[in-house]
Amino acid sequence: MSIVAVGINHKTAPVAIREKISFNPDKLSVALQEMLSQVQCKEAAILSTCNRTELYLVAADKYDITQEKVIAWLEHHHNIPASTIIPSLYWHSDQKAVNHMMRVACGLDSLVLGEPQILGQMKQAYSQAKAAGSMALVMDRLFQRTFGVAKQVRTETEIGSSAVSVAFAAVNLAKHIFASLEKAKVLLVGAGETIELVAKHLYENKVGHITVANRTLNRAEDMAKQVGADVITLAQIPQHMADADIVISSTGSTLPLIGKGMVEQALAKRKHRPVFMVDLAVPRDIEEQVSDLEDVFLYTVDDLQSIIAQNMENRRKAAIEAEAIVNHQTSGFMSWLRGLNTQDTVVSYRKQCLSERDILLEKALIQLQGNKAPEAVVAELATKLTNKLMHAPTNAIQTAAQGGELDKIVYLRDVLQIDK
């Protein structure tokens, strides 16, 4: 039995190459079936994201899957020359393949160390392979173990607890300043990618209300629909400033949009209730002098970058712990895989049965020495031994029946030689 992980990612290929071998989700099932027939693998799954495309394959023998076969299939499926693919491909087999999959799921191989989105993408790859019928015992067990490792890493280390993007850092800082965001009113200035990310983070944290101010309303309205926000023009900011508990700005303006006087007027209307402001723009959107006001907490992109740098260092330290967990779990999975070897399985099963026999036999001998009737001892021994040997198969049949797995029931009847 052999496991292979082959692919390209942000480290090995630019986006111009990555996009050439990405897989359309609607056609993934066909691609998986093609691999089963053309690459000579028994099981297959595909992970395809903006930063990576990886094929996970299981074969009966390590010589069944070759780089030549995989490259030829990719070349044919995506209609691109092999010379375009080969320089960017990496190839991991067996223990290294298992370790790689677990590292990917934990965010240890991501563009942003420890990012959590990749785990959801791997779960989607698992579901798609399941639906396509390209996954069986080994791949299923590997994905399940991989998900367990990712959960363990998230629970036992701090790899995902620190903000490492300016958008997330801004929202995280707001959460520290306000006891709860559920009653907070937010004014977002701009509608670019950074503000869109800020809006999503705020929405996920159930912020009370969001207003988006932008030069053009169309762009702001598209984003606002996703988070249930109101939309205003930049000229309307002074009228809404007093309502905002939090102001986060990121535009391409060459001059400040929010001046000290505008904020002073807003504070007077607010009766000097504090305002948390974050200026993510370069050049600045908020006048530097605003920080002189007593009731304003103003942070710039430089302030957040220092927080992010410290958080990245924290993640790097946590990654060392995560790597140790991954290595341990990789070894555990490989031990299970080796146990699938026919000879090892037979030996293990015989050893288990003989052990149960010896335990029951020892109890029976003690009963005989205690002058218990031999017929009663033998009857009890036969009953207990039969129950022991019937326990696992009975559970397997009941589980298959409850899950409606008729093919497994047929298989078990055949293995257990149940005639009727």
Side-chain angles (χ1 to χ4, degrees):
M1 191 70 69
S2 182
I3 298 173
V4 168
V6 56
I8 66 171
N9 63 19
H10 58 280
K11 297 177 184 176
T12 67
V15 67
I17 301 298
R18 298 201 303 273
E19 65 186 6
K20 290 183 187 302
I21 67 165
S22 65
F23 288 84
N24 185 329
D26 296 334
K27 299 178 180 178
L28 203 60
S29 180
V30 174
L32 287 166
Q33 292 302 325
E34 280 184 11
M35 276 205 295
L36 292 180
S37 61
Q38 298 177 28
V39 185
Q40 284 189 281
C41 56
K42 299 293 184 183
E43 304 178 46
I46 296 174
L47 173 67
S48 189
T49 74
C50 59
N51 284 330
R52 72 179 64 242
T53 291
E54 295 186 342
L55 315 179
Y56 306 130
L57 313 170
V58 174
D61 188 276
K62 65 180 179 180
Y63 299 108
D64 287 345
I65 304 174
T66 65
Q67 293 191 34
E68 290 77 12
K69 290 177 186 175
V70 173
I71 291 169
W73 179 76
L74 285 169
E75 184 179 33
H76 175 264
H77 184 82
H78 291 291
N79 194 28
I80 56 175
S83 57
T84 303
I85 309 170
I86 293 172
S88 304
L89 277 181
Y90 44 84
W91 183 279
H92 304 297
S93 58
D94 300 324
Q95 184 158 338
K96 288 185 178 180
V98 173
N99 188 265
H100 175 76
M101 280 184 66
M102 291 182 178
R103 293 186 75 255
V104 168
C106 295
L108 293 172
D109 195 54
S110 295
L111 180 62
V112 177
L113 182 64
E115 59 93 4
Q117 287 82 7
I118 188 63
L119 179 58
Q121 292 162 335
M122 288 201 78
K123 287 182 176 179
Q124 185 177 8
Y126 168 80
S127 298
Q128 289 167 328
K130 270 279 198 183
S134 64
M135 182 178 293
L137 175 65
V138 174
M139 189 71 74
D140 190 289
R141 182 66 170 262
L142 176 53
F143 267 97
Q144 293 298 340
R145 182 67 67 89
T146 296
F147 300 151
V149 172
K151 182 179 180 181
Q152 183 182 355
V153 165
R154 293 280 162 189
T155 303
E156 297 182 9
T157 76
E158 298 295 318
I159 196 165
S161 62
S162 304
V164 290
S165 73
V166 289
F168 188 45
V171 175
N172 215 37
L173 200 54
K175 286 167 64 179
H176 284 297
I177 291 176
F178 292 86
S180 170
L181 295 183
E182 293 185 3
K183 294 181 179 180
K185 294 182 179 180
V186 181
L187 173 62
L188 301 180
V189 183
E193 184 178 342
T194 300
I195 288 296
E196 187 171 356
L197 283 172
V198 170
K200 287 179 179 177
H201 289 314
L202 287 167
Y203 183 74
E204 288 167 0
N205 282 277
K206 300 179 180 178
V207 74
H209 185 264
I210 301 174
T211 299
V212 180
N214 197 48
R215 196 175 306 279
T216 57
L217 292 181
N218 288 343
R219 173 73 182 93
E221 285 170 350
D222 290 340
M223 183 188 76
K225 288 177 184 176
Q226 301 176 38
V227 295
D230 292 332
V231 177
I232 61 173
T233 63
L234 296 181
Q236 293 175 291
I237 290 177
Q239 302 165 34
H240 292 78
M241 181 67 72
D243 294 327
D245 303 302
I246 300 169
V247 179
I248 302 176
S249 184
S250 179
T251 75
S253 176
T254 56
L255 296 171
L257 299 173
I258 298 172
K260 184 179 179 182
M262 184 193 302
V263 178
E264 281 180 319
Q265 291 177 17
L267 288 172
K269 291 179 182 178
R270 291 173 59 82
K271 297 181 179 179
H272 293 275
R273 282 183 293 117
V275 180
F276 171 63
M277 306 183 79
V278 182
D279 190 350
L280 300 178
V282 178
R284 299 183 189 192
D285 282 340
I286 302 173
E287 279 186 347
E288 185 178 0
Q289 290 76 14
V290 171
S291 62
D292 297 334
L293 300 173
E294 286 188 9
D295 300 306
V296 174
F297 300 91
L298 174 61
Y299 291 81
T300 67
V301 69
D302 285 347
D303 297 323
L304 295 189
Q305 289 294 357
S306 63
I307 294 171
I308 290 168
Q310 181 58 52
N311 289 347
M312 276 302 301
E313 182 58 30
N314 293 341
R315 285 200 178 194
R316 279 190 285 269
K317 291 176 181 177
I320 297 171
E321 301 173 48
E323 294 281 8
I325 292 171
V326 168
N327 291 338
H328 176 71
Q329 293 291 354
T330 298
S331 297
F333 180 82
M334 294 307 295
S335 294
W336 173 83
L337 188 64
R338 285 190 292 271
L340 293 182
N341 178 282
T342 305
Q343 185 177 352
D344 290 346
T345 301
V346 171
V347 170
S348 295
Y349 182 64
R350 287 181 61 84
K351 184 178 178 180
Q352 179 178 309
C353 289
L354 291 172
S355 175
E356 291 173 349
R357 179 205 65 182
D358 291 344
I359 292 170
L360 293 174
L361 182 59
E362 185 178 354
K363 289 181 179 178
L365 291 173
I366 292 172
Q367 288 176 331
L368 288 172
Q369 291 170 2
N371 295 322
K372 188 172 182 177
E375 294 84 355
V377 173
V378 171
E380 184 179 339
L381 173 62
T383 300
K384 287 185 176 179
L385 186 57
T386 301
N387 288 339
K388 281 277 187 181
L389 296 178
M390 286 172 54
H391 179 70
T394 301
N395 275 350
I397 293 169
Q398 289 175 339
T399 301
Q402 290 168 1
E405 300 174 281
L406 298 181
D407 56 339
K408 188 174 287 187
I409 294 173
V410 172
Y411 174 73
L412 288 168
R413 287 181 67 91
D414 183 48
V415 169
L416 298 172
Q417 298 181 357
I418 301 172
D419 297 327
K420 295 181 181 180

